[in-house]
Amino acid sequence: MAAGRARGISIILLSVAEFRLQSSAFEHGEPIPRRHSCEGEDLSPPLAWSGAPEGARALALVVDDPDAPAGTFTHWLGWGIDVAADGLGEGEATPVE
């Protein structure tokens, strides 16, 4: 972990090299199934993670699509996720969206 100061703000850099995020609904690099899209049931996919950075107080989730026709499109933002949790079930919301 590295720390520094910039314009009176403390900055803490955490290594996320060991953080792993996966879903049982689809494989890495594969399209998200229709069930989990606005063209289907619009349910968030089940997510599981491990290796949260030491010292993290909460997790945030950003799901964006850099290949969207009109440029990067943000599908889902969530934060305030308990760092002790190991995932979200299908359709489960994050504490703050």
Side-chain angles (χ1 to χ4, degrees), residues 56-84:
R57 294 182 292 188
L59 300 175
L61 177 67
V62 178
V63 179
D64 64 12
D65 182 356
D67 298 325
T72 300
F73 178 81
T74 301
H75 291 276
W76 188 14
L77 293 174
W79 60 95
I81 302 168
D82 183 355
V83 73

Side-chain angles (χ1 to χ4, degrees), residues 7 12 18 20 32-33 37 47 51 66 74 76 80 82-83 92 96:
R7 299 182 192 184
I12 299 174
E18 300 299 318
R20 180 178 168 97
I32 295 175
S37 76
L47 298 175
T74 301
W76 188 14
D82 183 355
V83 73
E92 184 178 352
V96 183

Side-chain angles (χ1 to χ4, degrees), residues 14-96:
L14 300 173
S15 171
V16 293
E18 300 299 318
F19 188 80
R20 180 178 168 97
L21 174 67
Q22 59 188 31
S23 178
S24 58
F26 56 95
E27 294 295 321
H28 176 74
E30 295 296 317
I32 295 175
R34 184 179 207 79
R35 171 180 175 82
H36 302 292
S37 76
C38 62
E39 297 170 346
E41 295 175 51
D42 204 17
L43 289 172
S44 58
L47 298 175
W49 56 80
S50 61
E54 187 177 324
R57 294 182 292 188
L59 300 175
L61 177 67
V62 178
V63 179
D64 64 12
D65 182 356
D67 298 325
T72 300
F73 178 81
T74 301
H75 291 276
W76 188 14
L77 293 174
W79 60 95
I81 302 168
D82 183 355
V83 73
D86 60 0
L88 293 171
E90 182 179 66
E92 184 178 352
T94 61
V96 183

